[in-house]
Amino acid sequence: MRLLHTMLRVGDMDKSIAFYTEVLGMTLLRRKDYPDGQFTLAFVGYGNEADNSVIELTYNWGVDSYELGTGYGHIALEVEDVYKACEDIRARGGRITREPGPMKHGSSILAFVEDPDGYKIELLSPHRGD
């Protein structure tokens, strides 16, 4: 078994694709409309689906926002330099919601960014001690 993808419901497919590709540097792997079901799926990631886990963005036509609830946490991305990644993300219009620095009660360097729908993405250094 292997992890294939994580699905996120989005309110504006084009805005979400732009965020994940232009701000976070992922690649749009595929996108398809399903007129009979009135939804669109797009898959984004850092490599092909055969070898990597990816994110499935789901847009249900006519729905422009969702309640995120209290059960969802975040997606985590490993970045070489958390401080530099935050600078780059901010320069590309991304919203940093937790500035880079050590984890509370730990030593791992991390930060959080928020996508257009409010989903949190954690940025983690590859040199984690926690």
Side-chain angles (χ1 to χ4, degrees):
M1 287 188 221
R2 72 181 183 93
L3 182 62
L4 296 176
H5 63 259
T6 297
M7 187 272 269
L8 300 175
R9 288 184 173 86
V10 301
D12 182 325
M13 182 62 84
D14 292 331
K15 193 174 185 178
S16 292
I17 289 172
F19 173 80
Y20 284 96
T21 59
E22 296 169 17
V23 176
L24 294 184
M26 293 182 184
T27 299
L28 175 61
L29 302 169
R30 59 189 169 106
R31 176 182 178 158
K32 184 175 179 181
D33 292 329
Y34 293 85
D36 290 342
Q38 296 191 334
F39 65 93
T40 301
L41 300 181
F43 291 79
V44 294
Y46 292 112
N48 67 56
E49 292 176 75
D51 300 315
N52 297 277
S53 299
V54 300
I55 297 174
E56 173 189 341
L57 304 174
T58 300
Y59 172 64
N60 293 299
W61 299 359
V63 180
D64 63 1
S65 66
Y66 291 92
E67 293 292 325
L68 298 185
T70 58
Y72 174 80
H74 60 268
I75 295 168
L77 302 177
E78 184 177 271
V79 298
E80 189 58 38
D81 181 333
V82 176
Y83 295 92
K84 174 77 167 94
C86 285
E87 288 176 22
D88 294 345
I89 288 168
R90 189 177 280 114
R92 293 190 295 259
R95 182 171 177 255
I96 306 299
T97 60
R98 194 252 196 220
E99 292 296 326
M103 172 183 145
K104 285 185 181 180
H105 313 294
S107 60
S108 295
I109 302 299
L110 59 87
F112 278 88
V113 63
E114 191 173 270
D115 86 351
D117 291 282
Y119 294 111
K120 302 283 192 254
I121 296 110
E122 181 180 26
L123 306 175
L124 282 166
S125 166
H127 313 290
R128 295 183 295 278
D130 304 295

